[in-house]
Amino acid sequence: MEIIAIEKKTYEQVKQRFEDFSRQVRNLCRENQDKEKWLGNDDVCGLLQTSKRTLQSYRDNGILPYSQIGRKCYYRVSDIENLISQSQISKEQQ
């Protein structure tokens, strides 16, 4: 185990910077918390009444934007609402 000694003044500065950073992250999270909701594959398939394969096709063809964390895909509710609106407009035009 290695021990590193630093001056108290340096420690206090590092501690203050970390506290400031933590506060900024909390504020950003709080501000964005209610702005946009995200759904997983199962929820989106249920809303759109499609299979997981169709949802994969939507992703592959750029029809439905998504974000991926690890192996899991997430979709913004606003993007799903736009897709539903667009599909309703195309049905009305036919």
Side-chain angles (χ1 to χ4, degrees):
M1 174 189 230
E2 187 177 350
I3 297 174
I4 299 175
I6 60 173
E7 294 178 13
K8 182 177 181 177
K9 180 180 175 183
T10 303
Y11 170 77
E12 294 298 329
Q13 288 174 341
V14 170
K15 182 180 169 187
Q16 185 61 46
R17 285 184 182 177
F18 182 75
E19 288 170 356
D20 292 342
F21 176 74
S22 276
R23 190 173 22 267
Q24 288 176 341
V25 169
R26 280 193 305 274
N27 288 338
L28 285 172
C29 290
R30 194 174 312 117
E31 288 172 9
N32 292 322
Q33 189 173 20
D34 295 328
K35 287 188 179 179
E36 188 70 59
K37 299 217 183 241
W38 293 78
L39 301 175
N41 287 331
D42 293 335
D43 296 325
V44 175
C45 285
L47 284 172
L48 298 178
Q49 297 178 350
T50 61
S51 67
K52 288 185 178 184
R53 181 65 192 111
T54 301
L55 191 56
Q56 173 71 49
S57 176
Y58 289 171
R59 289 194 306 267
D60 292 344
N61 295 316
I63 295 171
L64 183 60
Y66 68 99
S67 290
Q68 188 169 354
I69 300 175
R71 296 178 134 181
K72 187 157 173 133
C73 294
Y74 296 94
Y75 309 84
R76 288 187 295 208
V77 171
S78 59
D79 290 331
I80 297 164
E81 290 170 345
N82 289 338
L83 180 64
I84 292 170
S85 296
Q86 289 172 358
S87 69
Q88 288 174 346
I89 290 170
S90 2
K91 287 179 184 177
E92 290 171 2
Q93 292 175 349
Q94 291 177 355

